[in-house]
Amino acid sequence: MEAESVGVVGFDEDGKVNSTAKTIPADGPSVDGLVLKPAVHQVAGHGQYDGRPGPLVDESGRTFFKPLKEGDYRADREIDFYGKIHQDETVPSSVKKFFPSFYGTKNLPSVDGKGVIFVLIWFLYEFSVLCSLTNTERHGAMENLTYGFKHPSVVDIKIGYSNGYPEASEAYNKKCIVKDQKTTSGAIGFRISGMQIYDVSIGMTWRSERKLLKSMSVDMIRPCMERYVSSNPFSDNPDAAFAASVYGGPHGVLAQLRVLEEWFKTQTSYSFKSTSVLIIYQSGDIEAEGEGKRKVAVKLVDFAHTLDGKGIDENFLGGLQSFMGIISSIVEDTTS
């Protein structure tokens, strides 16, 4: 298998293009006959590029391995949640499909971000991730949500006005308060945690800089969500050309989120904190233009802070509806 080259581009605070190209080895370490590779399409959370253990995928690309540290109550809670939600007979099948399938846990090498950086050409760099075969940790094996997408465009939307909760430590809650106030979460009930957009015309992926996302204002949210559905994501004037086929239509993002919205209006079993809506669509499919033709997936991810419910989860529901309102307005304005 050949190595996979991923162009990663974002804009800095001054609006200037900041570009890198990361080459990921096609084959990583082999454990019990299982060939592993870094999960190159992860757009948020801890990853192999920030010096922390990152997720892996198997050779087929079907299974995603998320680091879930042994003895960490948050990791244990996430594992327990997967078992609970898929066995909960009160949750309709139309809602269960939003939760990734979970296959159990396995000890695997951790991707620790210690790679060697070489100058390639101009401002392009090659970053080879090294996996340590001596250091293993527990991973949760689950459905790889980008499997089946040749060129996935992905966005991670962290839902909720407030992400702290009484059962958490004082230090964690203080951290949440600061983050909610400094990001758009406190104001509009959600924030953009990560984004990548594949530009078929040049064969590269635009990826948002995390520093920019953390400092993003409310006024920047809609333009960013317009860029996500643009055929020219590298442009200073993104065209939002795919808004109707990604956000609209009978199988688009809005239609899928309405199913979730109806469930959250009545469900009282769970309280979701720091959970994300993950949106994936197939980029570069020229024949997919038109409502209902483009491949679009909407999933919920990250359940380390999901607790038993104490009534309607207004925090998540309100943030979800706020997000839906913004993308609905994009569809209306681009199709009118």
Side-chain angles (χ1 to χ4, degrees):
M1 294 176 64
E2 296 181 355
E4 179 178 1
S5 181
V6 181
V8 180
V9 179
F11 290 114
D12 59 23
E13 293 93 331
D14 298 323
K16 297 179 180 179
V17 174
N18 185 344
S19 308
T20 61
K22 299 176 180 178
T23 301
I24 305 300
D27 295 335
S30 178
V31 180
D32 297 333
L34 185 67
V35 177
L36 304 171
K37 300 186 294 183
V40 298
H41 297 306
Q42 184 196 17
V43 296
H46 302 318
Q48 57 266 23
Y49 308 123
D50 60 10
R52 301 191 187 186
L56 302 162
V57 295
D58 67 356
E59 187 177 23
S60 71
R62 292 176 179 270
T63 306
F64 180 94
F65 296 97
K66 179 179 180 178
L68 294 172
K69 188 176 180 179
E70 196 80 44
D72 187 329
Y73 72 92
R74 294 165 298 184
D76 293 339
R77 182 186 289 151
E78 182 152 15
I79 293 170
D80 290 343
F81 172 79
Y82 276 113
K84 184 183 296 184
I85 194 70
H86 286 295
Q87 295 176 16
D88 191 338
E89 295 181 355
T90 69
V91 179
S93 58
S94 59
V95 172
K96 285 184 178 181
K97 69 179 184 179
F98 289 101
F99 300 94
S101 298
F102 187 78
Y103 311 128
T105 62
K106 187 176 182 66
N107 286 335
L108 298 173
S110 60
V111 181
D112 59 10
K114 295 179 181 178
V116 182
I117 302 178
F118 304 91
V119 175
L120 187 57
I121 50 173
W122 297 315
F123 45 80
L124 301 182
Y125 299 88
E126 178 179 312
F127 184 87
S128 296
V129 177
L130 304 181
C131 295
S132 169
L133 287 172
T134 59
N135 297 322
T136 63
E137 68 173 14
R138 183 178 64 173
H139 286 66
M142 60 192 73
E143 171 189 5
N144 181 14
L145 301 179
T146 60
Y147 177 76
F149 290 85
K150 185 177 181 180
H151 298 301
S153 287
V154 186
V155 64
D156 182 300
I157 307 294
K158 191 70 68 179
I159 302 292
Y161 290 89
S162 172
N163 289 293
Y165 52 96
E167 294 84 351
S169 67
E170 182 179 356
Y172 177 80
N173 282 329
K174 285 183 177 179
K175 180 181 178 180
C176 285
I177 291 172
V178 171
K179 186 175 289 187
D180 293 338
Q181 290 177 345
K182 286 189 174 181
T183 65
T184 59
S185 293
I188 59 175
F190 70 90
R191 64 177 179 266
I192 301 174
S193 292
M195 178 182 290
Q196 72 171 36
I197 315 158
Y198 184 77
D199 187 330
V200 66
S201 66
I202 60 175
M204 290 187 70
T205 298
W206 184 95
R207 183 184 286 255
S208 55
E209 295 286 344
R210 289 194 180 186
K211 184 178 179 181
L212 177 62
L213 292 177
K214 290 180 179 179
S215 62
M216 184 174 287
S217 67
V218 172
D219 291 340
M220 296 171 68
I221 291 292
R222 174 169 168 148
C224 193
M225 293 310 300
E226 290 176 343
R227 185 181 298 277
Y228 175 61
V229 289
S230 292
S231 65
N232 57 341
F234 290 90
S235 172
D236 289 334
N237 297 296
D239 56 20
F242 308 144
S245 61
V246 175
Y247 295 149
H251 306 295
V253 173
L254 280 171
Q256 295 184 56
L257 289 182
R258 289 188 187 106
V259 176
L260 268 182
E261 179 190 21
E262 289 305 308
W263 183 63
F264 271 97
K265 285 180 178 178
T266 59
Q267 80 85 17
T268 59
S269 298
Y270 306 97
S271 174
F272 293 86
K273 295 287 188 177
S274 296
T275 293
S276 291
V277 167
L278 194 73
I279 300 171
I280 310 163
Y281 75 86
Q282 178 63 46
S283 306
D285 188 353
I286 303 301
E287 297 180 357
E289 284 319 296
E291 294 185 352
K293 294 182 179 180
R294 185 179 293 276
K295 184 178 181 180
V296 181
V298 176
K299 298 288 184 175
L300 293 180
V301 296
D302 299 334
F303 308 106
H305 303 283
T306 299
L307 307 171
D308 291 338
K310 299 178 181 178
I312 301 297
D313 191 350
E314 299 287 356
N315 181 62
F316 191 96
L317 176 61
L320 180 66
Q321 291 173 328
S322 175
F323 175 65
M324 292 172 65
I326 288 179
I327 60 174
S328 178
S329 67
I330 294 174
V331 174
E332 291 175 1
D333 292 347
T334 54
T335 58
S336 60

